[in-house]
Amino acid sequence: SSLATPQAVEIWSYICEVAALHDLPPEFVYAIATAESHLTAHAQSESARGLMQLSRIAWREVSDAPYREAWDWRANIRAGVDYLDFCRKLLRENNAESYALLAACFRYGPYYVQRHDFDIAKIQAPKNIIYQKLFAGVVAPVPAPHILNSDK
């Protein structure tokens, strides 16, 4: 079930599937999930839930499902990737598409990035080392989990 604690390989595999639907690099999505929750499906902060740490505002921007579904890790990844796609559209409309700015949009919200003139130099990188690398333009700062070949 989606409520069971997923393993990193399972999360990676699902991210690959969902990211492909939006032509996003799965390594980028995986890095954001790792930075946001350390891949903890039931992570909760003051204002965000789940693997991708989606706020109620971000969730509602891309999903008609009730916010309680953010606890389902697969639904959380789908909404997180949809939110990245939503942010990317705003960046494209403003001729400002970059993975650094896309990470900033996910972390701080697209309108925060817009208020800073879509200029990554005007946006302070978070303390999180993964986000620092993402803000520096590294698309894949976290190694994907090693998928072992099974002989079954």
Side-chain angles (χ1 to χ4, degrees):
S1 107
S2 264
L3 297 176
T5 303
Q7 299 300 310
V9 169
E10 194 179 4
I11 292 168
W12 166 251
S13 174
Y14 193 68
I15 284 174
C16 286
E17 194 181 307
V18 177
L21 300 173
H22 292 288
D23 198 28
L24 281 164
E27 299 85 356
F28 180 79
V29 178
Y30 188 77
I32 288 194
T34 304
E36 287 288 346
S37 72
H38 303 286
L39 303 180
T40 305
H42 296 95
Q44 181 166 21
S45 66
E46 244 175 70
S47 61
R49 289 180 181 174
L51 211 64
M52 305 275 300
Q53 282 295 284
L54 292 164
S55 68
R56 188 178 294 271
I57 293 165
W59 181 268
R60 289 210 172 124
E61 200 72 71
V62 296
S63 178
D64 294 327
Y67 186 49
R68 68 175 174 271
E69 288 187 23
W71 295 122
D72 176 312
W73 69 270
R74 288 182 180 92
N76 195 283
I77 288 170
R78 286 193 306 271
V81 171
D82 286 347
Y83 189 66
L84 283 166
D85 191 52
F86 167 81
C87 292
R88 184 172 57 182
K89 285 180 178 130
L90 178 79
L91 292 173
R92 279 182 180 161
E93 286 164 10
N94 290 277
N95 296 312
E97 188 178 2
S98 74
Y99 286 108
L101 284 171
L102 187 55
C105 283
F106 194 90
R107 184 73 183 90
Y108 295 126
Y111 307 112
Y112 177 92
V113 173
Q114 190 169 33
R115 284 195 304 277
H116 288 80
D117 306 317
F118 300 102
D119 183 352
I120 197 70
K122 294 181 181 177
I123 300 168
Q124 189 173 351
K127 289 186 172 74
N128 180 291
I129 188 73
I130 297 170
Y131 265 117
Q132 288 176 6
K133 290 177 180 177
L134 289 166
F135 275 47
V138 179
V139 175
V142 176
H146 185 65
I147 299 170
L148 298 170
N149 291 327
S150 86
D151 296 327
K152 293 177 186 167

